[in-house]
Amino acid sequence: IGLLLPKEYFRFGANNRLLRVEDKVGNETFVYNLPESAEWCKEPKVKPLPYDSCTRHHLLPEAKLRMGSGMCSIMYGLLDVTSWAFSNDLCFYVNEDDILLRDRSVPNSTFINRYFEPIGVPRDHQIVKYAHQEPDKSHIQDFFSHKNVLEFGWSPAKHIQALGIKYTKKHDFRKLMTRRMFRFQPDTRHKACSALESHNLADDYMAFSIRRGDKHKEVNKEGVHPDIPSMERYVQAAELMAQVHFDGEIPPIFVATDDCQVMDELREMRPKWRFESECDSVLATGYDLANMANWTQAQLDEHFEKFFVELIGMASAKVWVGISYTNVAFMVYYMRHQSDDTFVLLDGTIKTRIP
């Protein structure tokens, strides 16, 4: 994304050795012994989006998040809603009432603002209040997954005059907008990056994304279940990528998974390799979104704090290996700045799988 982010955004040392990552949280400065590619462990250098800068008020889009959506599905949908709204000079707000990602026992609790900087105008903003006071509510419409938003998302090039973005290819555009919309709260970022640092990944490393849990229940339009790769296929991909990107040496491998049983499988298959994972400190036995309905805030925090470590770890890896039947893949792809030949989908290619 060289046209969108300046070259100095990423700094490399001699022999391409990566420098330490420095972050500021309030008045404190934290230095993490991580690859410089860990850009998500730094204070963002691109500005947040001016959500209340719209000048057209004939329509107030509502992003009503769906009960059955996971975090990456929600963020991916909000990315398109946000982009479409700015392209039409409209403000929008997010409705989290139905989602399972927040503590539903607490009225008006929020998933987004607990972990991220706000997205959209607040629900108590005067724009929203005024719209809901009007007798005719027809100008308030749900645009999450709306056909207009989807069509804009799929268009091959984007142009948003209000943000100074000229015609830009779809994937490059989404990488930029991800950095402006998907912004961790400083404390969330610090917790995740401190945990990632504890895995001793200061040099180049590889990441596996292994998703099990409720994925075996899913079927596509043809009634076919997703192709869930064996651990052998992950290992084979790692051996190939080591030849291409690591001079034939197997690097440390950071494993992001919702099913910690895979760690025993991998370590038994390749006992001399170094596998790192949050599973060594937080047990996970297979993610099923439906189970979240009854989780306490403490359980939600534990789940998401583990996942944020994994998300930043995958985005920062020199090489990523995973599958496309989870929205995690799309999220990680747009968070990464590395070239496409370092992003390996075991069930397809970038061209056929990344929307």
Side-chain angles (χ1 to χ4, degrees), residues 263-297:
M263 298 308 300
D264 290 337
E265 294 181 51
L266 290 169
R267 285 165 174 160
E268 288 175 7
M269 291 176 64
R270 293 295 187 274
K272 294 184 179 181
W273 290 14
R274 180 159 76 90
F275 294 101
E276 294 287 332
S277 177
E278 281 293 281
C279 285
D280 295 328
S281 57
V282 180
L283 181 64
T285 57
Y287 172 65
D288 192 325
L289 178 65
N291 294 336
M292 299 182 78
N294 299 313
W295 282 8
T296 64
Q297 187 62 66

Side-chain angles (χ1 to χ4, degrees), residues 59-79:
L59 177 68
L60 179 63
E62 176 189 57
K64 188 175 177 61
L65 307 185
R66 305 298 188 255
M67 177 181 289
S69 297
M71 192 205 88
C72 288
S73 175
I74 284 173
M75 289 299 180
Y76 188 68
L78 282 176
L79 183 64

Side-chain angles (χ1 to χ4, degrees), residues 187-350:
D187 287 346
T188 301
R189 186 172 68 239
H190 175 54
K191 284 182 182 178
C193 296
S194 296
L196 184 61
E197 181 185 36
S198 71
H199 290 288
N200 191 24
L201 298 170
D203 211 339
D204 291 343
Y205 65 95
M206 190 182 303
F208 285 175
S209 176
I210 303 174
R211 179 76 163 87
R212 288 184 172 177
D214 55 7
K215 285 298 174 182
H216 71 280
K217 302 177 184 178
E218 298 182 359
V219 294
N220 62 18
K221 294 179 180 179
E222 288 73 36
V224 178
H225 290 277
D227 174 20
I228 300 178
S230 65
M231 295 304 97
E232 182 63 35
R233 285 170 64 184
Y234 277 92
V235 166
Q236 291 171 352
E239 291 171 337
L240 176 60
M241 288 296 101
Q243 295 296 325
V244 177
H245 296 287
F246 296 93
D247 298 324
E249 298 291 327
I250 300 295
I253 298 176
F254 179 72
V255 181
T257 181
D258 65 324
D259 186 353
C260 291
Q261 296 178 87
V262 304
M263 298 308 300
D264 290 337
E265 294 181 51
L266 290 169
R267 285 165 174 160
E268 288 175 7
M269 291 176 64
R270 293 295 187 274
K272 294 184 179 181
W273 290 14
R274 180 159 76 90
F275 294 101
E276 294 287 332
S277 177
E278 281 293 281
C279 285
D280 295 328
S281 57
V282 180
L283 181 64
T285 57
Y287 172 65
D288 192 325
L289 178 65
N291 294 336
M292 299 182 78
N294 299 313
W295 282 8
T296 64
Q297 187 62 66
Q299 289 174 304
L300 290 167
D301 286 342
E302 180 181 67
H303 169 79
F304 285 118
E305 286 170 8
K306 171 183 178 290
F307 182 58
F308 296 149
V309 179
E310 294 176 333
L311 202 57
I312 293 175
M314 290 187 284
S316 307
K318 184 174 183 178
V319 169
W320 179 91
V321 179
I323 36 75
S324 70
Y325 53 78
T326 167
N327 285 305
V328 172
F330 310 147
M331 197 78 223
V332 170
Y333 179 77
Y334 292 126
M335 290 175 69
R336 290 171 62 82
H337 68 270
Q338 297 89 333
S339 59
D340 283 355
D341 66 341
T342 66
F343 192 86
V344 181
L345 290 169
L346 295 177
D347 60 333
T349 66
I350 298 292

